[in-house]
């Protein structure tokens, strides 16, 4: 490993980024698992609940969009500490606002901090993960995303246990917030500076205004939008499954809520397994071929889900859907970060497109389904998955002459 870091330092860096991915997933599942209790304790209706979700979604997009500016001023190491403490504070405020103060504005403030911090750290942790991937010279970014999935599973399990034990939202969220804050500090200690990690030769660090210029420049590059379309298609596929797959199985296929939950679990397990073990396939065949095969798999799985005449085929479809949607987002992230000098800007720009789809896509599908039915609405996902495959050529590895000059010269 050609780096100024020792083996021990590198291992601690990698473990810290794994922990940050897991903490982000944990925080999201903590909120999601207590939504019914929060709604009940605050005495709000579905429309007000929708506004809470909107405040979190909008602040997440703001966090994603502004993360290059934060990194330009602070670097990823300090930036991740600050933004993790930000969303840990948000998690705590959600609980305090719900049970201690009984204040909807406090809960909204908590959700804003929660979304802002999570959105911002999402870009930073992906930039760090791609730097680790480049150091290892093999595809590992999907494994980091699998740790995010592990975090959501752990968070959902803790949430279910908290409900079973009758713990109020404040107690639950304050414990999780404290755990995330401790994790943030421990990770800060173990994450090296980007300069030490990526460039063993001391060089003059670009002024932050120059790095801001790079951040804006990313939005003028056609490759950014092509990668954004890859992310958009797979984000719609993933987000659509998370919100509508179980309902489609339960109601439209008439299999009942238990089968719906099992089908969603099948989707999630299939996605996580491929993220854990799909890296060697990417190294063997390349990002573009893998993305195209997975886009076909996703489109085929969703199409089979729509048309399946019986429940066993619905489960096969759910598995194919999960497999197909598994690597699109992390591989497009990896491609956006090919050039370390522009990684933060390009990851942020492409991720903004993907996350808008992830957050905004399911509600749009819900609105359309009111007019044409849920299964018919899922044909949109088939088309977007196919579109993702058509644009996957943008994920090819950049050549040395396509990198920023500052990365080729000391």
């Amino acid at each position: 490993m050609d780096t100024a870091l020792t083996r021990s330092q590198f291992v601690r860096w990698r473990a810290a980024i794994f922990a940050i991915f897991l903490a982000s997933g944990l925080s999201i599942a903590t909120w999601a698992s207590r939504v019914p209790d929060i709604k009940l304790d605050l005495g709000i209706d579905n429309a007000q609940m929708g506004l809470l979700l909107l405040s979190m979604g909008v602040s997440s997009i703001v966090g994603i969009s502004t993360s290059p500016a934060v990194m330009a001023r602070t670097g990823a190491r300090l930036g991740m500490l600050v933004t993790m403490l930000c969303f840990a504070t948000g998690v705590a405020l959600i609980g305090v606002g719900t049970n201690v103060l009984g204040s909807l504005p406090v809960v909204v403030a908590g959700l804003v901090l929660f979304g802002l911090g999570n959105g911002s750290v999402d870009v930073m942790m992906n930039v760090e993960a791609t730097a680790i991937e480049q150091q290892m010279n093999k595809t590992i970014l999907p494994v980091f995303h699998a740790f995010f999935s592990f975090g959501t599973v752990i968070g959902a399990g803790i949430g279910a246990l908290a409900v079973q034990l009758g713990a109020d939202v404040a107690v639950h969220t304050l414990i999780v917030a404290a755990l995330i804050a401790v994790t943030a500090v421990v990770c800060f200690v173990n994450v090296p500076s980007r300069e030490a990690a990526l460039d063993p030769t001391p060089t003059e660090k670009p002024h932050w205004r120059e790095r801001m210029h790079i951040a804006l420049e990313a939005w003028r590059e056609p490759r950014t939008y092509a990668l954004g379309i890859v992310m958009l298609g797979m984000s719609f596929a993933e987000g659509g499954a998370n919100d509508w797959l179980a309902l489609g199985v339960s109601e439209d296929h008439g299999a009942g809520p238990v089968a719906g939950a099992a089908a969603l679990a099948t989707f999630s397990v299939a996605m996580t397994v491929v993220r854990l073990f799909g890296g060697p396939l990417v190294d063997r065949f390349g990002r573009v071929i893998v993305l195209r095969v997975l886009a076909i798999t996703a489109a085929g799985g969703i199409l089979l889900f729509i048309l399946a005449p019986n429940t066993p085929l619905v489960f096969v479809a759910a598995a194919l859907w999960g497999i197909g949607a598994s690597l699109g987002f992390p591989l497009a992230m990896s491609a956006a970060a090919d050039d370390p000098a522009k990684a933060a800007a390009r990851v942020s720009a492409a991720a903004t497109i993907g996350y808008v789809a992830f957050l905004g896509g399911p509600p749009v599908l819900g609105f359309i389904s009111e007019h044409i039915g849920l299964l018919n609405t899922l044909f949109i996902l088939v088309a977007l998955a196919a579109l993702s495959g058509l644009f996957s050529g943008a994920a090819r590895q950049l050549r040395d002459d396509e990198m920023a000059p500052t990365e080729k010269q000391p």
Side-chain angles (χ1 to χ4, degrees), residues 94-308:
I94 290 169
V96 170
T98 299
N99 293 130
V100 178
L101 300 177
S103 169
L104 183 60
V106 172
V107 174
V108 170
L111 283 168
V112 168
L113 290 176
F114 174 71
L116 190 67
N118 248 316
S120 190
V121 82
D122 193 282
V123 173
M124 297 181 195
M125 68 188 187
N126 273 286
V127 170
E128 289 291 295
T130 53
I132 292 169
E133 183 177 76
Q134 289 158 5
Q135 289 286 299
M136 296 180 68
N137 198 29
K138 67 178 183 179
T139 302
I140 191 175
L141 190 61
V143 181
F144 285 98
H145 284 252
F147 267 75
F148 176 88
S149 298
F150 291 153
T152 61
V153 171
I154 293 169
I158 294 173
L161 180 62
V163 173
Q164 184 68 28
L165 295 175
D168 65 28
V169 177
V171 171
H172 178 194
T173 57
L174 285 170
I175 291 172
V176 171
L179 181 60
I180 293 171
V182 170
T183 301
V185 174
V186 172
C187 290
F188 174 76
V189 172
N190 288 283
V191 172
S193 68
R194 294 283 282 144
E195 289 73 21
L198 298 176
D199 189 3
T201 305
T203 58
E204 184 179 352
K205 187 177 181 180
H207 192 275
W208 71 269
R209 288 191 179 88
E210 182 180 342
R211 284 175 278 160
M212 281 297 297
H213 175 73
I214 292 173
L216 295 174
E217 192 67 28
W219 285 100
R220 302 188 182 99
E221 298 173 354
R223 184 172 182 261
T224 297
Y225 292 95
L227 291 174
I229 290 173
V230 174
M231 290 184 178
L232 182 146
M234 291 306 158
S235 294
F236 256 94
E238 183 178 352
N242 288 337
D243 284 3
W244 300 111
L245 189 151
L247 187 64
V249 173
S250 176
E251 296 185 359
D252 294 81
H253 283 292
V258 174
L264 180 58
T266 300
F267 169 89
S268 300
V269 169
M271 171 176 282
T272 302
V273 168
V274 177
R275 284 179 170 176
L276 276 175
F277 301 108
L281 290 175
V282 179
D283 294 333
R284 173 68 177 83
F285 298 105
R287 288 192 297 239
V288 175
I289 290 177
V290 170
L291 282 171
R292 285 175 177 163
V293 170
L294 291 181
I296 293 170
T297 304
I302 299 167
L303 191 61
L304 178 60
F305 182 86
I306 296 168
L307 303 175

Side-chain angles (χ1 to χ4, degrees), residues 318-404:
L320 291 174
W321 189 345
I323 290 168
S326 61
L327 298 183
F329 202 95
L331 291 187
M333 283 274 199
S334 185
D338 273 347
D339 183 351
K342 297 182 178 180
R346 287 173 172 167
V347 166
S348 173
T352 298
I353 299 171
Y355 275 104
V356 167
F358 186 82
L359 295 168
V364 171
L365 295 177
F367 175 78
I368 295 173
S369 70
E370 289 292 323
H371 300 277
I372 64 174
L374 179 57
L375 293 183
N376 286 331
T377 301
L378 295 181
F379 280 111
I380 297 172
L381 299 187
V382 176
L384 289 173
L387 188 66
S388 177
L390 289 174
F391 279 84
S392 61
R396 68 172 179 80
Q397 179 72 39
L398 292 180
R399 301 185 307 269
D400 286 346
D401 60 358
E402 295 174 301
M403 301 285 192

